[in-house]
Amino acid sequence: HIYPSSFMLTDSTYAISNSHIDYCMADTSLLVKDFRLSTGRQFIEANGIASTHPTDSLRIRLQEIQASYLLPFFLPEHTLTVQGNLSGWANLYGLFSSPMFEADVKLDSAGLNGAYIGDAVAKVALDKNNNHILIQGDVTEANHHVAHVDGLVEPDEHAWEINILPDSFSLAFI
């Protein structure tokens, strides 16, 4: 059991909600119920089971998490930088054996390499056969479609491949 608590990190106070996290050694599983870490309007929530079973899933929900804090854990260094606030969900499967994930996210006030591009929505998934993270999304500005984006991240190769199909898209990020 995790009791409600708070802590300071740099200049922000973070709160942890009343939640349950149980670890079972017999089947190497972690049950997460009602976990929430928040500061202001930003939060990360988690519910589900992390285990070796490919059908067990942990559902993560994000609201207004700064992409610059989260994405460096998943994306290659010294490539494209992404700015904006991430909201959405991700399902993580088979975390303790052969991890798999899928996500549906929105990136408000999105930026690439420091240049504003609009608001982005994307579906993201892991291609386990090739160990690539696949991305399909769209960018809008003032409710006007400005680009479609298809891409992939190759974590082992520290590489991006991104295809932007512009309607009226600024290339200032290049």
Side-chain angles (χ1 to χ4, degrees):
H1 187 88
I2 297 179
Y3 293 101
S5 58
S6 62
F7 61 93
M8 291 285 298
L9 184 62
T10 60
D11 61 347
S12 300
T13 300
Y14 290 82
I16 298 176
S17 66
N18 187 31
S19 55
H20 293 274
I21 298 179
D22 296 314
Y23 179 72
C24 179
M25 289 179 60
D27 68 354
T28 315
S29 65
L30 186 69
L31 172 66
V32 179
K33 185 175 180 194
D34 299 327
F35 178 81
R36 181 181 171 110
L37 174 64
S38 62
T39 181
R41 294 176 14 162
Q42 299 177 342
F43 67 77
I44 298 175
E45 293 178 339
N47 279 289
I49 300 173
S51 74
T52 59
H53 303 289
T55 56
D56 285 344
S57 68
L58 187 61
R59 185 165 178 96
I60 308 293
R61 199 172 84 135
L62 307 171
Q63 181 165 315
E64 296 187 16
I65 303 298
Q66 289 181 12
S68 60
Y69 290 156
L70 189 59
L71 293 181
F73 292 105
F74 302 99
L75 304 177
E77 291 184 72
H78 311 297
T79 58
L80 194 64
T81 61
V82 181
Q83 297 83 33
N85 293 320
L86 274 170
S87 296
W89 59 266
N91 283 329
L92 312 170
Y93 303 94
L95 281 178
F96 298 154
S97 58
S98 182
M100 178 67 181
F101 79 89
E102 60 185 0
D104 196 344
V105 295
K106 180 177 183 186
L107 186 60
D108 289 323
S109 301
L112 296 176
N113 290 343
Y116 173 78
I117 61 168
D119 294 323
V121 293
K123 293 195 179 297
V124 182
L126 177 63
D127 173 357
K128 285 173 53 172
N129 294 332
N130 297 309
N131 197 31
H132 296 163
I133 299 170
L134 305 174
I135 304 165
Q136 274 195 332
D138 291 290
V139 180
T140 60
E141 187 173 9
N143 294 324
H144 174 71
H145 186 266
V146 295
H148 177 78
V149 178
D150 287 316
L152 63 88
V153 177
E154 299 178 71
D156 293 341
E157 302 297 322
H158 304 288
W160 280 80
E161 179 180 312
I162 190 164
N163 299 306
I164 300 172
L165 305 168
D167 286 343
S168 56
F169 189 74
S170 170
L171 298 178
F173 69 92
I174 295 178

